[in-house]
Amino acid sequence: MNLDDVDSLSEHIARRIGEQIIVGELVEGERIQELRIAKELDVSRGSVREALLLLERTHLIDIFPRRGAIVSEMSSQQVKALFDSSVLVLGHIVQRLSESWRGHEAEQLQHLLVQLEEQVKASDTEKFYDGIFDYLAAQHDIVGNPYLMKFYKELLPSLRRSYFLTLNTSRRELQEAFALFKLVIDAILIRKSHQATLFMEDFCRHLRNLVLDSLTRMKQIELAWARRSRRSSTR
């Protein structure tokens, strides 16, 4: 790999493994095979271990003594905890945006709204949510709190993993999400920080519920397949 240093190599490996977890190629409870990854990417096991330490901070994996790195569970309790934390962070971000936006930030928000509306028309759920959360992650200067933004950056992969489960939801639900986030932007643009925070909470609650519904359906399907497999093996 033509990367400049060990840190950039480890980050590259972490992003690659993280994406496999987010899209479901690596499933919860699955052990991360360090040696296989090192061979596939033609890198040292030390670089893979460093990447796994980076991934652990994003809560996509858990690292256990002697067991190694395991893809973290995605339970309803963990989804609720993720969104409880996200609401606090995102509420602060939109509050600071409401209080401190300047001319070019207002233009960016209007442009974001246009892009989101196009993604709703195209039923592109992934790009819709990526657009929102990536935009908010880029507001370092306005927020002025590097600790908070670092925490949010570490939450983002788990957020992506959660809303990846909603890709098959209806356009109506995506339209509802757009309407809720438009309220956030409208409140920001008239500098109503308290309203923006409350609307952001509504938006996150809507997405959390979609994720929980999708997670429940996924678990039910897994349980049905497990039961069918058990019945087949006893015949």
Side-chain angles (χ1 to χ4, degrees):
M1 290 187 176
N2 297 321
L3 293 164
D4 295 333
D5 51 50
V6 174
D7 287 338
S8 63
L9 175 58
S10 299
E11 288 167 1
H12 177 84
I13 298 168
R15 283 193 299 272
R16 180 160 178 162
I17 299 171
E19 195 63 25
Q20 290 176 324
I21 295 171
I22 287 166
V23 303
E25 292 177 12
L26 293 171
V27 299
E28 63 179 56
E30 187 170 349
R31 185 170 176 270
I32 307 294
Q33 303 286 341
E34 287 184 14
L35 185 58
R36 177 183 61 79
I37 292 170
K39 287 183 177 179
E40 283 180 0
L41 302 181
D42 192 24
V43 297
S44 70
R45 290 188 70 175
S47 295
V48 176
R49 289 194 190 101
E50 179 64 28
L52 294 178
L53 290 173
L54 294 174
L55 267 182
E56 187 180 29
R57 297 177 194 168
T58 68
H59 312 285
L60 291 179
I61 66 169
D62 298 306
I63 300 178
F64 301 96
R66 294 184 295 278
R67 289 178 60 197
I70 308 292
V71 178
S72 63
E73 181 187 14
M74 182 179 257
S75 65
S76 59
Q77 183 178 0
Q78 286 165 318
V79 168
K80 290 174 184 176
L82 170 64
F83 278 92
D84 284 347
S85 301
S86 299
V87 162
L88 295 174
V89 176
L90 293 168
H92 185 76
I93 292 173
V94 299
Q95 176 188 341
R96 292 291 297 137
L97 270 170
S98 303
E99 295 167 348
S100 306
W101 64 261
R102 294 153 294 183
H104 67 281
E105 277 100 7
E107 291 174 8
Q108 288 174 358
L109 283 166
Q110 296 285 11
H111 180 63
L112 174 63
L113 205 58
V114 171
Q115 288 183 317
L116 295 176
E117 191 167 18
E118 291 173 354
Q119 286 149 9
V120 170
K121 290 176 182 177
S123 296
D124 196 332
T125 303
E126 185 178 5
K127 283 187 179 178
F128 174 82
Y129 287 115
D130 279 350
I132 291 171
F133 291 114
D134 287 347
Y135 171 81
L136 295 173
Q139 305 310 308
H140 298 273
D141 292 342
I142 284 185
V143 174
N145 186 330
Y147 304 103
L148 185 86
M149 296 307 289
K150 181 176 184 293
F151 178 56
Y152 177 49
K153 183 180 178 181
E154 291 173 351
L155 285 178
L156 268 177
S158 290
L159 273 172
R160 285 198 68 224
R161 184 187 183 192
S162 71
Y163 63 72
F164 200 87
L165 295 177
T166 72
L167 297 192
N168 294 321
T169 54
S170 69
R171 181 184 290 186
R172 178 185 58 78
E173 289 166 331
L174 196 58
Q175 288 170 336
E176 186 175 344
F178 173 75
L180 288 169
F181 192 71
K182 184 177 184 302
L183 291 175
V184 177
I185 291 182
D186 290 345
I188 290 172
L189 292 175
I190 59 174
R191 299 195 187 278
K192 296 289 187 181
S193 60
H194 182 64
Q195 286 184 9
T197 301
L198 292 177
F199 289 141
M200 192 72 221
E201 185 176 340
D202 290 340
F203 171 80
C204 288
R205 187 184 298 112
H206 174 77
L207 177 54
R208 181 201 64 189
N209 291 340
L210 289 179
V211 172
L212 289 173
D213 288 345
S214 298
L215 185 63
T216 298
R217 287 195 295 270
M218 185 184 73
K219 298 292 185 183
Q220 289 171 341
I221 292 170
E222 288 176 354
L223 182 59
W225 273 106
R227 287 172 176 169
R228 181 178 296 182
S229 298
R230 283 198 297 270
R231 285 197 298 267
S232 299
S233 64
T234 56
R235 289 175 183 172

